[in-house]
């Protein structure tokens, strides 16, 4: 399922990169992996292409889009902010 896929991706990246934040967002046309800035930099310093291929393979196996993007983490609108 999509939830299992997202969990697997977040756990794998979490174990490898030790990010402060990792979110796997499933969009209609792509899988978007959001990471904190430090983890994004770490990803650029390692074989990012290997992660693209690994995640795309998992996505295809789950019937999800295999276009993979890595982006900076943005807090979702579900979080209420004090004013």
């Amino acid at each position: 399922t999509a939830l299992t896929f997202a969990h697997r991706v977040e756990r794998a990246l979490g174990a490898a990169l030790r990010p402060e934040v990792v979110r796997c967002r499933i969009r209609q046309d792509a899988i978007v992996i959001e990471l904190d800035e430090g983890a994004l930099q770490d990803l650029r310093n390692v074989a990012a292409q290997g992660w693209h291929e690994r995640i795309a393979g998992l996505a295809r196996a789950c019937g999800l889009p295999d276009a993979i993007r890595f982006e900076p983490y943005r807090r979702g609108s579900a979080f209420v902010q004090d004013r």
Side-chain angles (χ1 to χ4, degrees):
T1 67
L3 186 57
T4 300
F5 164 80
H7 183 68
R8 286 180 66 187
V9 169
E10 289 176 357
R11 286 183 51 99
L13 285 168
L17 300 175
R18 300 281 186 217
E20 290 180 26
V21 178
V22 59
R23 296 289 183 272
C24 179
R25 313 257 192 216
I26 301 169
R27 308 277 190 236
Q28 185 173 354
D29 62 338
I31 304 298
V32 179
I33 310 299
E34 295 183 0
L35 296 162
D36 59 89
E37 289 294 336
L40 271 176
Q41 187 60 42
D42 290 344
L43 183 71
R44 291 180 187 113
N45 292 335
V46 299
Q49 186 61 35
W51 280 107
H52 274 94
E53 293 169 8
R54 182 176 175 185
I55 295 168
L58 287 171
R60 281 190 297 275
C62 292
L64 298 169
D66 63 358
I68 310 299
R69 295 194 313 256
F70 291 93
E71 298 180 357
Y73 171 73
R74 291 185 309 265
R75 186 190 304 218
S77 61
F79 290 89
V80 177
Q81 298 178 358
D82 293 332
R83 294 185 183 207

